[in-house]
Amino acid sequence: MTQPLSPQRRPTLLIVGCGDVGLRVLKCLQGRWTVWALTSTAERMPALRAAGARPLWGNLDDPLTLGRLGGLADRVLHLAPPPASGSTDPRTANLLRALARGGRTSRLVYGSTTGVYGDCAGEAVDETRAVNPGTDRARRRVDAEARLRHFGRHSGCHVTILRIPGIYALDREGGDPRDRVRRGTPALQAADDVYTNHSHADDLARACLRALAVGLPQRTVNVCDDSDLRMGDYFDLVADLWDLPRPPRVSRDQARAALSPMVMSFMSESRRLRNLRMKRELGLVLGYPTVREGLAAPG
């Protein structure tokens, strides 16, 4: 069984997959923790060091490069995506084998996806709903979640799984919704539209830190804001707030002919997430309770 941190010792965190959200976590910590950041790209090391992390080279696809991870950190934030194909996540398996060799990790937080629920036909969804992945992308996350829960049960580590919907922020590369609106990417007509859910990148970073501090063992938590919008209405809001043309509305058949299978997969699942665990168990107070506040914030 892992032991609690000594109050005299500075906590040590390992971030695996230190992209945009990981960098926001580093900014929140402001040097109060010792933070290692695993990267498989040597060119990223200067940026990670400048952000306050100690870069560590390693590749989740190559277990032989992960030998230093065991016993390195008290807490682990796992934000690395699975491979791009297949229905399992060998990267998470390799990481957990490396961590098991040290036996030091007391808390592990994993950034999963709400895609594990599959299409819920617009119903309200909390964490008690059974997973029903409709794509291999989601099946890889289900596999990772199962591996992590098994690791937690057998190691004594408190594993908290954060199920995350669409991450956005005006200053997030690839996450600025204005880019899609400017491209004129169509949205579904009202009769075909789906409910979508959102998490501002800054709120997600703070949720990660709350989970690292107080997350319950082997627990899943939806991390999303309080918005209740269909996807087309969301992009209409983006357009209106920034004085951009609203996206054209098309039928599902027209969208299928114009958009990639990846985009269509997101437009084929409808659910309205509930976030009571996030508020009650993690104690997170949202900085951006709805997308309106998040979109209006300076980017």
Side-chain angles (χ1 to χ4, degrees):
M1 181 70 69
T2 53
Q3 298 299 315
L5 292 175
S6 165
Q8 287 77 36
R9 186 158 62 83
R10 196 181 194 192
T12 303
L13 172 66
L14 168 65
I15 302 179
V16 180
C18 192
D20 176 80
V21 174
L23 292 174
R24 291 170 194 263
V25 168
L26 282 169
K27 185 176 180 180
C28 290
L29 288 174
Q30 297 181 332
R32 290 179 285 114
W33 292 20
T34 299
V35 182
W36 295 89
L38 185 73
T39 180
S40 60
T41 307
E43 290 76 14
R44 289 209 68 230
M45 288 188 172
L48 293 171
R49 193 174 290 112
R54 300 180 181 183
L56 179 67
W57 189 86
N59 190 331
L60 292 178
D61 293 320
D62 183 358
L64 295 180
T65 68
L66 307 178
R68 292 183 60 189
L69 300 190
L72 183 68
D74 307 296
R75 308 180 193 189
V76 175
L77 177 58
H78 177 16
L79 300 175
S85 61
S87 58
T88 63
D89 183 5
R91 291 177 178 171
T92 291
N94 292 338
L95 172 64
L96 294 179
R97 278 194 291 269
L99 295 176
R101 288 194 290 268
R104 176 178 171 182
T105 305
S106 60
R107 290 184 181 272
L108 188 154
V109 173
Y110 175 60
S112 185
T113 171
T114 54
V116 299
Y117 295 118
D119 180 29
C120 302
E123 294 180 4
V125 175
D126 67 15
E127 297 85 350
T128 64
R129 190 179 184 104
V131 297
N132 184 33
T135 64
D136 277 348
R137 184 178 66 254
R139 292 183 190 98
R140 293 190 286 272
R141 296 291 191 169
V142 171
D143 177 73
E145 289 188 7
R147 293 177 187 274
L148 286 154
R149 281 192 293 268
H150 180 270
F151 174 80
R153 287 193 300 268
H154 289 269
S155 69
C157 176
H158 285 203
V159 172
T160 304
I161 295 167
L162 304 182
R163 290 179 173 163
I164 306 163
I167 307 169
Y168 78 100
L170 299 186
D171 61 348
R172 172 179 165 83
E173 184 176 355
D176 184 343
R178 295 173 298 182
D179 294 339
R180 172 175 166 148
V181 174
R182 289 178 179 128
R183 290 193 299 269
T185 303
L188 291 173
Q189 62 188 14
D192 293 324
D193 209 359
V194 297
Y195 281 98
T196 186
N197 305 274
H198 308 273
S199 181
H200 192 282
D202 287 341
D203 280 332
L204 175 56
R206 295 191 302 112
C208 290
L209 286 171
R210 292 299 301 163
L212 286 166
V214 301
L216 297 178
Q218 289 56 269
R219 193 72 157 167
T220 58
V221 180
N222 292 337
V223 177
C224 62
D225 66 19
D226 298 328
S227 300
D228 189 2
L229 284 174
R230 293 186 185 270
M231 185 181 292
D233 296 336
Y234 168 64
F235 287 113
D236 281 352
L237 175 62
V238 174
D240 293 348
L241 286 173
W242 292 93
D243 197 23
L244 299 169
R246 286 187 171 189
R249 296 295 189 107
V250 298
S251 69
R252 183 168 294 279
D253 287 341
Q254 290 171 318
R256 194 175 292 111
L259 302 176
S260 70
M262 172 73 79
V263 173
M264 284 306 302
S265 71
F266 292 116
M267 299 172 82
S268 301
E269 296 185 354
S270 182
R271 48 189 171 261
R272 289 183 281 179
L273 296 174
R274 296 294 175 259
N275 58 16
L276 287 180
R277 279 190 188 177
M278 179 192 76
K279 295 176 178 178
R280 292 175 179 174
E281 296 180 5
L282 299 187
L284 182 67
V285 177
L286 291 165
Y288 305 99
T290 72
V291 290
R292 181 175 289 276
E293 288 91 351
L295 292 169

